[in-house]
Amino acid sequence: MELAVVGNSEFVTGFRLAGVKKIYEAKDDELESMVTKVLKDSDVGIFVMHGDDVNKLPEILRDTLSESVEPTVVTLGGTGESSNLREKIKQSVGVDLWK
């Protein structure tokens, strides 16, 4: 399983420098198609996006992202609702690892 990142050039730069291989640089008009592409990629285990980019997606796609177990979607930054990593891990694994 690999880590995939979708976002603008500023957002993905740090992940690129960290050695993440699946980097998808996308402008606002390309976001929806890139997200769909990553969701269909069976090699992706964790999918990272900026919170503001998630909010730009259609509601149906946002719902798909929030309910996705594989890949697990993690949102970073932004002004919207933040992703609770503990809840995402619990959803993916089926067990609360902090207990």
Side-chain angles (χ1 to χ4, degrees), residues 37-92:
K37 178 180 177 181
V38 172
L39 287 174
K40 291 180 181 178
D41 187 343
S42 61
D43 291 334
V44 175
I46 299 174
F47 178 17
V48 179
M49 287 186 71
H50 194 278
D52 290 342
D53 288 341
V54 171
N55 291 333
K56 294 174 187 173
L57 297 171
E59 186 175 353
I60 293 173
L61 191 51
R62 285 195 310 259
D63 290 343
T64 302
L65 290 175
S66 70
E67 295 170 1
S68 178
V69 173
E70 193 172 308
T72 298
V73 180
V74 178
T75 57
L76 301 175
T79 55
E81 187 179 311
S82 67
S83 171
N84 183 340
L85 187 56
R86 181 177 180 177
E87 287 300 316
K88 289 292 185 183
I89 292 171
K90 185 176 174 183
Q91 180 183 7
S92 299

Side-chain angles (χ1 to χ4, degrees), residues 3 9-10 12 15 18 21 36 39 53 58 68 75 78-79 99:
L3 178 71
S9 61
E10 292 175 5
V12 301
F15 293 97
K21 295 176 186 167
T36 303
L39 287 174
D53 288 341
S68 178
T75 57
T79 55
K99 285 188 175 184

Side-chain angles (χ1 to χ4, degrees), residues 4-52:
V5 181
V6 172
N8 64 30
S9 61
E10 292 175 5
F11 182 71
V12 301
T13 298
F15 293 97
R16 183 175 283 124
L17 292 172
V20 174
K21 295 176 186 167
K22 292 192 178 262
I23 300 288
Y24 301 95
E25 196 171 311
K27 296 183 175 145
D28 289 350
D29 59 337
E30 303 167 325
L31 273 175
E32 188 174 347
S33 62
M34 286 294 184
V35 168
T36 303
K37 178 180 177 181
V38 172
L39 287 174
K40 291 180 181 178
D41 187 343
S42 61
D43 291 334
V44 175
I46 299 174
F47 178 17
V48 179
M49 287 186 71
H50 194 278
D52 290 342

